[in-house]
Amino acid sequence: MKNFFVSAFVNIILILISYGIFRKVISGPTRHKLYEKFLNSFAKFIIYIFIATTLITGLTALILYKTRYIVYLNIIAPALVSILVGFVMSTVPTRGSGDKKKNK
């Protein structure tokens, strides 16, 4: 049980770090365009996240199996998915449609 909590804590830290990095590296308009293109509907969001996590976990399992480090799959695959979650979090717009009118 202790390993679960340690892994969960590390994954939360990875999510927050990747969120911060992607917010700093990718400009706001670019992030908004990515969100509008790929994640504007909930159905697309669910499908894309499912496909991405399946691919990440599958490729990680294949690589770790070939290198005989398969015992670390339950540590590495969630960590990589946490980076994806941080990216998705960073693409979500933080301003509403009425915020542009207030700034003018």
Side-chain angles (χ1 to χ4, degrees):
M1 191 68 162
K2 178 183 172 187
N3 290 341
F4 171 76
F5 288 121
V6 169
S7 178
F9 180 73
V10 169
N11 285 333
I12 289 171
I13 298 299
L14 278 172
I15 289 171
L16 295 174
I17 289 171
S18 65
Y19 169 76
I21 289 172
F22 286 120
R23 292 269 308 182
K24 296 290 182 190
V25 172
I26 304 172
S27 68
T30 304
R31 285 184 284 126
H32 186 70
K33 287 177 187 174
L34 285 170
Y35 177 80
E36 287 292 324
K37 186 171 185 175
F38 295 111
L39 305 172
N40 59 353
S41 77
F42 191 66
K44 278 186 183 179
F45 172 75
I46 296 297
I47 291 168
Y48 288 150
I49 292 295
F50 175 75
I51 290 171
T53 55
T54 304
L55 285 173
I56 288 171
T57 305
L59 288 173
T60 305
L62 180 66
I63 291 168
L64 293 177
Y65 180 74
K66 294 288 184 180
T67 59
R68 298 182 187 184
Y69 289 110
I70 196 71
V71 294
Y72 299 111
L73 179 65
N74 290 335
I75 298 168
I76 296 173
L80 294 174
V81 171
S82 295
I83 295 170
L84 173 70
V85 170
F87 171 73
V88 170
M89 281 176 49
S90 72
T91 61
V92 175
T94 55
R95 293 185 184 146
S97 60
D99 288 347
K100 290 181 183 177
K101 294 176 186 173
K102 291 179 185 178
N103 290 337
K104 289 183 179 178

